[in-house]
Amino acid sequence: MSNGRLTDWARSLGLSTPIVCAPMGGVAGGRLAAAVSRAGGLGMIGMGSAGSVTALERELGALGEGIGAGGAPFGIGLVAWGIARDPELFERALAAGPALVSVSFGEWGDAHADASWVERVHASGAIAVTQSATVDEAMRAAAAGVDAIVARGREGGGHGDHQHPRDALLAEIIAAVDAPVLAAGAISTSSDVARVLDAGAAGAWIGTAFAACEEALTPPPARDALLRGSAADTLVTRVFDVALERPWPERFPERLLRTPFIDQWHGREDELAGDAEARSAFAAAAAAGDYSIVPVDAGEGVGHLTRVRSASEVIASLR
């Protein structure tokens, strides 16, 4: 068990536990970020494919008293291609005074084409973090000056480059870079946290375990789907993105809870892209919040969710 063990990296941020709530778009808003930070972890506001300045302003307003600006630290998570599309979102995130800014799902390239954001984050006084799914990606990020790397295992929920199992990837990245490395992917229990810390992780980057929290933005029917879900119900697919014409790059499919619609079209994404009627029906289901059709992002640890809890209860269970 982790027994509240504190790593040097967590201590440097003023945390009392080495747990970061992953910046899940549509889930990790200001209220959840504040609750996690008040419980001693690092809460994050997630701005994914639907991120905007308006949405960020709303969630920053939900942080409440005592978070940021001398209070408990918080972070903001962005996607690289999203801020390229909307540079003002990046500027507003930096101006909010987060302790940590993560920018992920970009293309580093030989010349570190996406590395300019790192200097901007440093200039704002925050630390720069990115998620990496391969050792090569982690090495390029470290060379570009990123302060910490998240080793994102294929077990994790939501969008990602689902290639390597968490523990193997964590070990390889730790061996390859000098920067602190956080572990991500199906970290759901205190034993999981202890395992990655024992393996040398500077912290645990945890998403699904917080997705059903009472402070999350997750709608009640989506919470119900999470509470019913198991690892066997998850699938890595692009169907959701194709159905809603979301602009996620093809190399970043998402792990989610399958539904009959997902099963029907998985492996037939090109057909779905050309079927306006099917996409229209799915869009209507999404607008209506019909989670018998619309999937919910979830990692392989989803089976550990048994009831709606507060973020502080989740933190206590993970220590």
Side-chain angles (χ1 to χ4, degrees):
M1 309 295 278
S2 63
N3 295 321
R5 184 177 2 162
L6 193 60
T7 64
D8 290 342
W9 181 84
R11 187 178 293 109
S12 73
L13 281 171
L15 311 182
S16 63
T17 187
I19 292 171
V20 178
C21 177
M24 300 167 283
V27 174
R31 189 164 169 249
L32 179 59
V36 171
S37 291
R38 289 191 181 103
L42 185 75
M44 295 191 68
I45 293 173
M47 289 285 115
S49 57
S52 67
V53 173
T54 299
L56 180 56
E57 293 282 7
R58 180 183 64 243
E59 297 311 327
L60 289 170
L63 286 171
E65 297 294 325
I67 305 296
F74 74 99
I76 296 175
L78 305 161
V79 295
W81 56 266
I83 61 176
R85 181 183 61 183
D86 183 5
E88 187 181 354
L89 177 59
F90 183 52
E91 299 298 332
R92 182 62 188 94
L94 297 182
L100 180 155
V101 173
S102 73
V103 178
S104 301
F105 310 118
E107 302 286 348
W108 289 95
D110 291 336
H112 306 306
D114 284 338
S116 60
W117 65 267
V118 178
E119 292 183 3
R120 297 293 313 285
V121 169
H122 288 161
S124 77
I127 66 169
V129 175
T130 195
Q131 298 180 60
S132 296
T134 68
V135 172
D136 180 69
E137 189 176 33
M139 291 175 66
R140 293 179 188 277
V146 167
D147 299 293
I149 307 289
V150 179
R152 191 188 190 287
R154 66 187 181 197
E155 304 94 335
H159 287 92
D161 188 359
H162 301 80
Q163 292 197 44
H164 305 292
R166 181 198 69 211
D167 292 346
L169 181 65
L170 176 64
E172 291 177 5
I173 291 181
I174 287 174
V177 303
D178 291 330
V181 181
L182 285 71
I187 300 175
S188 307
T189 67
S190 60
S191 295
D192 294 334
V193 174
R195 180 183 181 121
V196 298
L197 294 182
D198 288 342
W205 183 275
I206 300 174
T208 301
F210 290 103
C213 283
E214 59 189 35
E215 300 94 344
L217 295 173
T218 310
R223 284 194 181 94
D224 292 341
L226 288 166
L227 298 182
R228 293 192 302 267
S230 69
D233 297 323
T234 70
L235 177 71
V236 176
T237 184
R238 292 188 59 247
V239 171
F240 198 173
D241 286 338
V242 173
L244 289 186
E245 300 179 87
R246 298 190 298 185
W248 276 91
E250 289 188 17
R251 68 174 288 233
F252 300 120
E254 63 190 313
R255 184 178 293 280
L256 44 70
L257 291 173
R258 61 205 311 161
T259 67
F261 182 92
I262 297 297
D263 286 338
Q264 177 185 356
W265 290 104
H266 180 58
R268 301 170 55 210
E269 288 83 356
D270 288 344
E271 290 181 58
L272 177 60
D275 192 327
E277 184 176 349
R279 286 186 286 103
S280 178
F282 184 85
D290 184 351
Y291 290 96
S292 68
I293 296 173
V294 178
V296 180
D297 283 354
E300 290 187 1
V302 67
H304 291 280
L305 298 180
T306 58
R307 61 185 177 87
V308 176
R309 296 185 291 176
S310 68
S312 63
E313 288 180 280
V314 173
I315 291 281
S317 74
L318 293 169
R319 287 180 182 270

